[in-house]
Amino acid sequence: MINAADIVVGLAWGDEAKGKVTSHLASLKKDGAPYYDFVARWNGGSNAGHTIYVNDVCFKTHIVPCGILHGIKSIIGPNCVLNPDSFYRELDALGSKGADTSLVRVSPRCHIVSEQHIEYDRLNLSKKLGTTSKGIAPCYADKAARTGVLARDVLDEELLWDENLYGNLLCEGAQGVWLDINRGRYPWVTSSETLPYSACSIGFPTQVINNIYGAAKIYDTRSGEDPMFPSLLFDDRHLKQIADVGAEYGVTTGRRRKVNWLNLNYLIESINLTGTTSLLISKCDILEEVGVYRLFYNEELLTFVSLVDMKSFIKTSINNDCPLVEKIGFSYSAKCLGQE
Ligand code: IMP
Ligand code: MG
């Protein structure tokens, strides 16, 4: 039985700096040792792309939880999907930068993404739905049809997790609320559950959940097709500037992300849907560099004279409408939380 579980969740369409938040939490110590005993992913596969800086070294992860960057056992959970080839490549790349890849274990129940899944995704879904072509939808389809192949059938015994959980667990989310298969804007979603309810699939009861860390960005971005993010957004001068300055390109696909002003109503909805207790809003430095401060609220586009004004509007609205939130932080750096 575990002692406590904390969950990091994306509050929008992915790419909200969950990697940064998770890595910061994984670095926390208690009596000189890591506070967390495990870091585990509960959903998705190598469609995710987390950018993490540890001691100024930049790591890019797709399926491997960031615990290995901090000497913590890292679990790829039973609701994840894994392509062995890209998994081994990722382990090699992380290992060559100094990460201890011997700490990674894969749930025996994790489903295997085959080359056929990837091919089907690439040929049939990537254009229509803007998927990442990583075979995610076909693999989860086989899982639901009960025709899937499991990690226990194909992976080396020593890579398999013995399903033993103890101590403190940190759950690393992938994608974000609006990509959740149940609560997102279907069919413009991914094929897994991105919300905290699904973290329990790792193997713990809801009662041990302590903190829900919600990761958000001070503007919205979307990688992949979505009618809510029309391509005419590319024509807006300021949004284009945000995309450039903020380097809004997919870590997994290299595609340019569509950028829009933050929709505060959606953020409030996703905070309440996830039960976020601690909120971090990232990339404030990008907005500051562009020097234009806008957000959508109640279907109006509001413009603020300064970032200070915009942040105070955000804080007040969230404090009014999100009773579970205890902490709100703003970050100005990709490398650290830089909370104020
Ligand atoms: P799939 O997960 O590859 O099937 O893609 C479905 C949708 O989710 C597409 O719009 C992708 O761009 C989006 N998506 C999947 N994973 C991520 C992610 O980690 N960040 C941002 N968008 C993602
Ligand atoms: Mg990403």
Side-chain angles (χ1 to χ4, degrees), residues 106-156:
V106 180
S107 163
R109 304 165 197 267
C110 179
H111 277 248
I112 296 293
V113 179
S114 67
E115 293 311 311
Q116 286 86 335
H117 290 147
I118 294 172
E119 192 66 359
Y120 184 90
D121 194 6
R122 195 172 63 77
L123 294 175
N124 300 288
L125 305 177
S126 67
K127 283 225 168 59
K128 199 166 72 185
L129 292 175
T131 69
T132 60
S133 297
K134 299 293 178 189
I136 303 300
C139 183
Y140 279 109
D142 267 347
K143 174 180 178 176
R146 281 156 278 166
T147 50
V149 173
L150 275 64
R152 65 173 179 233
D153 302 324
V154 298
L155 289 196
D156 251 13

